[in-house]
Amino acid sequence: MVSSSSSSFRCFLQLFFFFFFFFFSFVISHVQASSLPFHPRDVLPLLPRQVSWPILNSLHGAVDLLPSFVGSVSSPNSIVNWKGACFYENTAWMEFHNKTGSEFGGGTLHIRVSYPHSWTCMDLYVFATPYRVTWDYYYLSREHTLEISEWEDKAEYEYVKNKGISIFLMQAGMIGTFQALWDVFPLFTNTGWGENSNIGFLEKHMGASFEERPQPWVTNISVDDVHSGDFLAISKIRGRWGGFETLEKWVSGAYAGHTAVCLKDSEGKLWVGESGHENEKGEDIIAIIPWDEWWDFELNKDESNPHISLLPLHPDVRAKFNETAAWEYALSMAGKPYGYHNMIFSWIDTIDGNYPPPLDGHLVASVMTVWSKMQPEYAANMWNEALNKRFGTQGLNLSDILVEIEKRGSSFDELLSIPEQDNWTYSDGKSTSCIAFVLELYKEAGLFDPIADSIQVTEFTIKDAYSLRFFENNSSRLPKWCNDADNVKLPYCQIKGKYRMELPGYNSMDPYAHMNERCPSMPPKYFRPQNC
């Protein structure tokens, strides 16, 4: 047990450190000519946790884990200058050499850093080509070098000579980066901490609100009121899928992270069509599942705390819905793998309008490079085949693709923004993510007629889908059990979840030719021009 005098002394020390921090913050804001012995941010982790962590949390967040592209250097004449997180003046240039006597030689990346904001800070960097990714940190004001003894082959040598080595700065600095790691980790944990972290991330970076609903948080559904084509919007907020969906929501602007669709058979039995259902082998596949089985799993076995809303089709749209064609399509896709091939391409429509800072095409290429080295089969499934489709090539790996882009005078940003085509067939068949599966079923059922041929549903995000003017717009026609316990009457039926699901832009847009092929999606407003 801690004595009262000891406790008082501890409180005194915490207050002292608190005012000490803000005193130096004031001093630094008024001193520009020289660096101080240390910066308050650099000593925060040394302070008592009750003082340091609230301040660190306000300064840094999970997004600070992403490096920021500062430039590429390809020769001594290609000089890049930038301001770092620690050092205010930084210069880099490239020198080619052949110290090993190899066929293509190697190179030295020179980086001169100067004018640190304190004596205790340091800058952390990532360096990348299509063939390698490495990192280094600098805390002394001088010239530093990164040695590459040999280029991997002629392709890397030619790429660096023409495009250069990409330099990325961890803009939060060393301490901020570790803090960001601490913020990212809980997003993927199946804990209350993880759930609160996901909620906090979405509130901070998307402006989302999580208002608690009155209990009960589960609706007693009558399946008689559910029809073929009714849309299921699902939002998971903890665990592995909760963390993944949080990042997906952030970059795309969607307020749901997963979808499924209802289907009734000729005997009136209700089923759920879902791309992303995990089978007994742990594989994510497309499945047609009895409603009772699907609903029982969501209520009792899904540890991600799913929030679920049912979006009934408008009566006029339901009258147009070809149930036979929908069933034929669903059964033809059952058992096929989840559409990883084109999952990220529904998000990226433009060269620079879909990347929340500090994301950009350079960083995406570097992340892909790292994953391609660590998990080549994963990379082939996630993007290699899709990039080859866009390039009109076959069998090129990511490094080959990046080199080919340089040869053609194009850019990786342009390649990523080429629209996916619904008729593309991959090595394991047609590729449909959760939302592409639902919308392709809608397409087969006639909901996009007469412009179906000019609609590529694989370009739609989840937000794009629930924004379609396909759904009920008259609350008096919603089932009686719809939101019956809630004091806020949503225009759709939330059937599970502690927090009220918001779907901005719901049921607001008619389909048009080439819909969602060139749309920006920048948080937190996610503004989109008309007919993009």
Side-chain angles (χ1 to χ4, degrees), residues 52 115 145 198 223 251 312:
S52 63
Y115 298 105
T145 58
N198 280 289
V223 296
V251 299

Coordinates of all heavy atoms in Angstrom, one line a residue, residues 52 115 145 198 223 251 312:
S52 N 2.6 11.2 -19.7 CA 3.2 11.1 -21.1 C 2.2 10.5 -22.1 O 2.1 11.0 -23.2 CB 4.4 10.2 -21.1 OG 4.1 8.9 -20.7
Y115 N 21.0 20.4 -39.0 CA 20.0 21.2 -38.2 C 18.9 20.5 -37.5 O 17.7 20.6 -37.8 CB 19.5 22.3 -39.1 CG 20.5 23.3 -39.7 CD1 20.9 23.1 -41.0 CD2 21.1 24.2 -38.9 CE1 21.9 24.0 -41.5 CE2 22.1 25.1 -39.4 CZ 22.5 24.9 -40.7 OH 23.4 25.8 -41.2
T145 N 25.7 7.2 -45.5 CA 25.7 6.4 -46.7 C 24.9 5.1 -46.5 O 25.0 4.5 -45.5 CB 27.1 6.1 -47.3 OG1 27.8 5.4 -46.3 CG2 27.8 7.4 -47.6
N198 N -10.6 0.7 -32.5 CA -11.2 0.8 -33.8 C -12.2 1.9 -33.8 O -12.3 2.7 -34.8 CB -11.9 -0.5 -34.2 CG -10.9 -1.6 -34.7 OD1 -10.4 -1.4 -35.8 ND2 -10.7 -2.6 -34.0
V223 N -38.7 -13.8 -41.0 CA -38.1 -14.0 -42.3 C -39.2 -13.8 -43.4 O -38.8 -13.7 -44.6 CB -37.5 -15.4 -42.4 CG1 -36.3 -15.5 -41.5 CG2 -38.5 -16.5 -42.1
V251 N -9.9 4.3 -46.0 CA -9.5 4.7 -47.3 C -10.6 4.8 -48.3 O -10.5 5.5 -49.3 CB -8.4 3.7 -47.8 CG1 -7.2 3.7 -47.0 CG2 -9.0 2.3 -48.0
P312 N -33.8 -3.3 -47.3 CA -34.8 -3.9 -48.2 C -34.8 -3.2 -49.5 O -34.7 -1.9 -49.6 CB -36.1 -3.7 -47.4 CG -35.8 -3.4 -46.0 CD -34.5 -2.7 -46.1

